[in-house]
Amino acid sequence: MKLTKDMTIGQILRERPEAAEILMEFGMGCLGCPSSLAESLEDAAIVHDIDIDELMDALDGD
């Protein structure tokens, strides 16, 4: 399944558990927090001041 910016972190981790390492490298250390189940990857990137395009490239490369 192709990952998209509008997926929640929880959805991404269910599809690709190995993505946790990449997300943490980008500064998303709260992968199990309640927000990760509700907010989109793009929203989380904004909150953490992460370039969503760079993050998507890294996730697509795994």
Side-chain angles (χ1 to χ4, degrees):
M1 169 184 256
K2 179 161 175 51
L3 302 181
T4 64
K5 298 175 190 180
D6 64 333
M7 294 174 77
T8 65
I9 293 171
Q11 289 173 310
I12 290 169
L13 294 177
R14 281 191 296 279
E15 288 294 322
R16 292 196 199 160
E18 66 276 11
E21 185 176 335
I22 294 168
L23 293 170
M24 289 176 55
E25 287 174 6
F26 272 80
M28 291 187 184
C30 57
L31 300 180
C33 72
S35 294
S36 72
L37 301 175
E39 68 185 357
S40 70
L41 181 62
E42 186 169 32
D43 289 340
I46 290 168
V47 167
H48 292 282
D49 198 28
I50 296 168
D51 183 297
I52 188 63
D53 294 321
E54 287 181 25
L55 179 55
M56 291 303 298
D57 287 345
L59 290 169
D60 286 338
D62 68 343

